[in-house]
Amino acid sequence: MSEPKPDPLLESVRFGPHLARNRFWQVPHCNGMGYRDPSMLAAMRGMKAEGGWAVVSTEEVEIHPSSEVTPFIEGRIWDEADLPAHRLVTDAIHEHGALAAIQLVHSGMSSPNLWSRLAPMGPGHQSLTSPSPTQSREMTTADIADLRGWHRGAVRRSLQAGYDVVYVYAGHGLATLQHFLSPRYNHRTDGYGGSLANRVRLLQEVLEDTLDEVDGRAAVACRIAVDELYGEGGTTREHMEEVLSIIGELPDVWDFMVGSWPDDSVTSRFGPEGSQEQYVRGLKALTSKPVVGVGRFTSPETMRRMVRQGVLDFIGAARPSIADPFIPAKVAAGREDEIRECIGCNICVIGDWTMSPIRCTQNPSMGEEWRRGWHPETIRPVGGERRVLVVGAGPAGLEAAMSAGRRGCEVVLVEASRELGGRVAAESRLPGLAEWRRVVDYRVGRIDRMPNVEYYLESEMTADEALAYGFDTVAVATGAVWRSDGVGIHHRLPLAFDGSVPVFTPDDLPDGGLTGQQFILFDDDHFYLGGALAEWLARRGARVTLVTSEASVSSYTANTMEQHKVHRSLLELGVEILAHHVVTGTESGEVGLQHVVTGHPASRPAAALLLVTGRVPNDGLAADLLGRRAEWGAAGLGEVRAIGDAFTPATIAAAVWDGRRFAEELDGRDDAAVFRRNVPGL
Ligand code: ADP
Ligand code: SF4
């Protein structure tokens, strides 16, 4: 018998002065914690190192107050006062044998400098890259010298803080070095503008400064947008090939990405695993230095193919490492089927856009490593024997059952319908959302291997039954129902429907008895579901008018960086979008409408009205049980807790988190833990 071939993913790779222990590279990712929550941040990065990543990177770290992105919370290394927070990070990473990388950024024309009030600057006098009444100022030669000095200083401080890899950053449309390189932004006529050799000059100088400053004590990485996706108006793949012919041998490692952040972190709704391969393939041949690249890689087979086919040397990952910090450890241990695969929902990105600590649909411990002491793979055993009933097998119930099972409880999970998964099972049947099914599959896969967790389908649980079987604890995870009265964000009182137009809610979909060809969909929820249902209906051949009180369709999906993609796909499918309007009721076969700014009324005939507005918890069972507290003692019952949407309708991520919290608190609630936080020292 021949020896099994060594796994290419586990090979060590030399770069700069380092030997990476494998090919897993956690590329920089934002997290909404940054300079504000250093202890939370350090524990999160340390968890990646514990999970086996060879390199663990920071988010973008501002090198100077002229590059600050208030209100967003990123890293800062403005001066030595920032170093203790960075040492927490490097110590946590080193403790588990990984290399720590810092991504230094000067954001230039992407930084309105609202906090520092310094004038933004970039290659030219131009509007900022996001709407703002401020412009960037054209950098003079003196400014360029300043920038190089600030970058050098930040490199020096990075070494003081213990980083092993220093990034020079020219990606995501967010960095001055990219703005200089790009014909889109750089219209200069001096030695830093015009030809590509001139446009690349600043990047080249900063790379040389950085190499000089680290002097072999750290590796230098360059993260760069290999195609800005603006066609000839921006940096193209051909430009990138020329860039590599000039500076291809300068950094110790290249980190390639594509476009702006929404292109790079495309959701699964709009891009599959490995979607950047077409842009990156072949670039590795133009440099002798190792290459990192991303593509929401969750399949070890795809990762191996990237290495075997010479596309990449390092498997870069942000979201896959968030959903499962232990991917490398699982690959090394031959436990690939236990990988908790990212579903590509970008709930993690919402943290950054809303300046709140990162969270993840698949990994409820993300961001809770320090604050609550949660670990993505382990959970402490519960003392003694404990019988737990979980009612409802949506995301909250599945997570509660799995986590209580991991704690060693005897768990019975009952589900009224014929399938496990609750809202996830239903929503993952909508166009583009198939990968969301992984929330169910991962948990069912684990539960199936636990002899102490049983589940029963088609078992609607009543309070009598819950009290009859001698459970110590009951989790009521029965979900929520969509309102059919129109109450939501806009309307606070029920609407009048005269019955002349059939009214549906998402609970009737995708397989409910939906009829009609001319739909009015009233979206007063504004996240993904209204747009996804409009798409589903349109693909079935229905004519759809989507009514929203907001200025744009699915407006909250701006936070998952897919709003413009949702809008485009609906327009391409012929969906009519009626912005700034609300539905006011139905009368004589017509749907009443109103303009939210002018108050102007209107009406339209429709065959059906679909309401995506508010939800109410399905909390009847919880209320029954709580109302019969006097009987608990005789039944041996100690606690009843509504969790997930049955407690408060929210995101799938929130339901999973609440399921985990239920299991964590089986031996007592720990409300104080949420207040563990860093307070700035004076
Ligand atoms: P969450 O997001 O909080 O997990 P879901 O709505 O996704 O909530 O899931 C709730 C699940 O609970 C659904 O699959 C539903 O069929 C099930 N369910 C609701 N009431 C009962 C009940 N009385 N007994 C068993 N299962 C129930
Ligand atoms: Fe992936 Fe969603 Fe988790 Fe982000 S929140 S890492 S996209 S599963």
Side-chain angles (χ1 to χ4, degrees):
M1 239 172 67
S2 61
E3 285 283 303
K5 278 206 199 115
D7 189 338
L9 297 176
L10 303 175
E11 288 163 358
S12 43
V13 181
R14 190 159 289 289
F15 72 104
H18 303 303
L19 186 66
R21 60 184 171 184
N22 56 43
R23 294 184 185 269
F24 291 98
W25 185 298
Q26 184 246 276
V27 296
H29 69 77
C30 301
N31 49 75
M33 303 196 279
Y35 68 83
R36 186 192 53 207
D37 302 308
S39 295
M40 289 169 77
L41 178 60
M44 182 270 278
R45 298 294 185 203
M47 196 61 80
K48 309 284 190 85
E50 187 184 330
W53 299 82
V55 178
V56 176
S57 309
T58 62
E59 63 280 36
E60 62 171 29
V61 176
E62 301 160 0
I63 62 170
H64 187 262
S66 68
S67 161
E68 57 93 8
V69 291
T70 301
F72 300 107
I73 311 279
E74 308 299 335
R76 286 179 176 168
I77 194 157
W78 294 357
D79 59 30
E80 300 208 349
D82 292 311
L83 295 189
H86 285 283
R87 283 201 199 93
L88 284 180
V89 172
T90 54
D91 284 350
I93 294 171
H94 291 153
E95 191 184 330
H96 297 285
L99 296 164
I102 182 168
Q103 178 177 254
L104 300 178
V105 65
H106 189 272
S107 309
M109 56 187 297
S110 302
S111 53
N113 296 338
L114 295 173
W115 188 88
S116 69
R117 301 180 71 167
L118 297 174
M121 52 190 194
H125 295 294
Q126 286 187 46
S127 299
L128 299 189
T129 53
S130 57
S132 163
T134 312
Q135 290 207 168
S136 69
R137 161 178 88 69
E138 181 168 320
M139 286 168 73
T140 62
T141 336
D143 292 324
I144 289 174
D146 280 346
L147 184 147
R148 290 178 60 183
W150 298 331
H151 201 279
R152 260 187 188 270
V155 174
R156 201 174 311 127
R157 290 189 291 280
S158 300
L159 294 191
Q160 275 174 265
Y163 287 103
D164 310 290
V165 183
V166 179
Y167 264 96
V168 172
Y169 181 39
H172 294 102
L174 297 174
T176 305
L177 301 179
Q178 180 183 353
H179 300 149
F180 268 76
L181 181 59
S182 170
R184 178 174 168 82
Y185 306 107
N186 184 343
H187 312 136
R188 299 172 73 99
T189 51
D190 63 0
Y192 290 93
S195 66
L196 190 133
N198 280 357
R199 296 201 311 273
V200 82
R201 190 177 313 281
L202 184 58
L203 174 60
Q204 180 170 356
E205 288 174 349
V206 171
L207 274 168
E208 285 164 353
D209 292 342
T210 306
L211 285 158
D212 181 53
E213 196 64 47
V214 305
D215 195 22
R217 291 170 295 160
V220 176
C222 182
R223 188 157 216 219
I224 192 161
V226 300
D227 190 326
E228 288 186 311
L229 304 182
Y230 290 118
E232 288 304 315
T235 297
T236 62
R237 159 83 185 222
E238 288 75 55
H239 293 145
M240 189 59 209
E241 290 173 8
E242 208 181 324
V243 167
L244 286 174
S245 74
I246 303 170
I247 57 167
E249 296 303 312
L250 268 188
D252 297 309
V253 55
W254 282 98
D255 183 341
F256 293 143
M257 51 74 55
V258 174
S260 59
W261 191 18
D263 305 308
D264 187 28
S265 295
V266 65
T267 55
S268 59
R269 193 169 165 187
F270 295 102
E273 178 181 32
S275 63
Q276 302 198 10
E277 181 182 348
Q278 55 184 313
Y279 301 98
V280 169
R281 181 178 271 275
L283 290 177
K284 192 178 126 48
L286 306 179
T287 169
S288 69
K289 302 303 172 81
V291 163
V292 187
V294 292
R296 209 167 49 75
F297 295 121
T298 58
S299 148
E301 264 325 297
T302 310
M303 301 178 202
R304 286 185 192 107
R305 185 174 65 74
M306 291 295 140
V307 175
R308 287 207 186 100
Q309 296 186 350
V311 182
L312 303 174
D313 298 290
F314 284 105
I315 301 303
R319 290 173 296 171
S321 77
I322 293 167
D324 193 341
F326 279 67
I327 291 178
K330 288 175 184 176
V331 169
R335 294 190 288 118
E336 290 173 12
D337 58 328
E338 292 181 32
I339 291 174
R340 197 169 40 245
E341 292 181 290
C342 167
I343 68 168
C345 61
N346 279 8
I347 287 285
C348 49
V349 173
I350 294 180
D352 194 56
W353 287 105
T354 57
M355 303 108 215
S356 41
I358 189 169
R359 61 213 57 206
C360 169
T361 302
Q362 275 284 55
N363 175 11
S365 70
M366 177 47 53
E368 302 289 14
E369 299 86 352
W370 177 77
R371 189 166 73 168
R372 289 180 182 270
W374 292 3
H375 189 282
E377 297 302 313
T378 57
I379 177 167
R380 67 203 179 288
V382 76
E385 283 184 16
R386 183 79 64 119
R387 296 196 68 220
V388 175
L389 171 67
V390 179
V391 184
L398 285 171
E399 175 69 25
M402 181 191 76
S403 293
R406 281 184 172 163
R407 294 198 66 184
C409 302
E410 291 294 321
V411 181
V412 174
L413 169 65
V414 292
E415 165 56 44
S417 74
R418 286 179 180 191
E419 66 175 339
L420 300 171
R423 62 183 285 196
V424 175
E427 291 177 17
S428 62
R429 287 196 271 270
L430 290 170
L433 302 187
E435 282 191 22
W436 293 23
R437 173 88 213 161
R438 293 171 172 181
V439 173
V440 182
D441 294 342
Y442 167 73
R443 288 167 179 82
V444 175
R446 307 278 68 71
I447 286 172
D448 276 340
R449 292 190 189 176
M450 292 182 189
N452 53 329
V453 182
E454 293 168 45
Y455 59 79
Y456 300 94
L457 295 173
E458 297 185 87
S459 308
E460 179 142 4
M461 180 62 56
T462 61
D464 282 337
E465 287 169 312
L467 285 165
Y469 298 120
F471 290 100
D472 300 297
T473 310
V474 177
V476 180
T478 47
V481 289
W482 287 90
R483 301 185 71 122
S484 56
D485 58 4
V487 171
I489 295 172
H490 187 88
H491 297 297
R492 301 288 161 171
L493 292 171
L495 300 181
F497 298 120
D498 71 350
S500 61
V501 178
V503 176
F504 297 98
T505 75
D507 292 322
D508 300 312
L509 298 170
D511 19 43
L514 198 80
T515 52
Q517 277 304 302
Q518 174 69 63
F519 283 86
I520 291 187
L521 188 158
F522 177 38
D523 185 2
D524 199 26
D525 169 68
H526 308 293
F527 201 12
Y528 58 87
L529 194 60
L533 286 169
E535 180 177 342
W536 179 75
L537 287 168
R539 287 189 187 281
R540 281 172 31 135
R543 285 195 307 281
V544 185
T545 299
L546 191 153
V547 177
T548 173
S549 57
E550 293 280 286
S552 59
V553 67
S554 300
S555 59
Y556 195 75
T557 62
N559 295 308
T560 49
M561 305 194 302
E562 54 187 343
Q563 191 281 326
H564 56 294
K565 296 188 180 99
V566 174
H567 199 137
R568 187 176 58 212
S569 72
L570 292 182
L571 291 180
E572 283 170 355
L573 284 163
V575 173
E576 181 195 13
I577 293 165
L578 202 55
H580 285 144
H581 277 80
V582 291
V583 163
T584 54
T586 61
E587 198 180 335
S588 311
E590 303 231 322
V591 172
L593 300 164
Q594 187 177 37
H595 195 284
V596 291
V597 181
T598 64
H600 183 74
S603 66
R604 294 258 189 116
L609 173 63
L610 176 55
L611 297 175
V612 187
T613 57
R615 286 186 286 162
V616 283
N618 205 355
D619 56 2
L621 176 62
D624 278 357
L625 284 170
L626 291 168
R628 293 169 66 175
R629 195 179 282 267
E631 298 168 50
W632 290 14
L637 183 59
E639 192 190 9
V640 173
R641 190 158 167 176
I643 62 170
D645 292 332
F647 188 55
T648 318
T651 57
I652 297 167
V656 171
W657 179 89
D658 212 23
R660 171 74 183 244
R661 184 177 174 194
F662 163 79
E664 288 278 351
E665 297 180 353
L666 275 169
D667 25 30
R669 293 202 184 197
D670 188 16
D671 289 331
V674 76
F675 297 115
R676 193 171 184 210
R677 66 199 168 103
N678 290 127
V679 177
L682 294 178

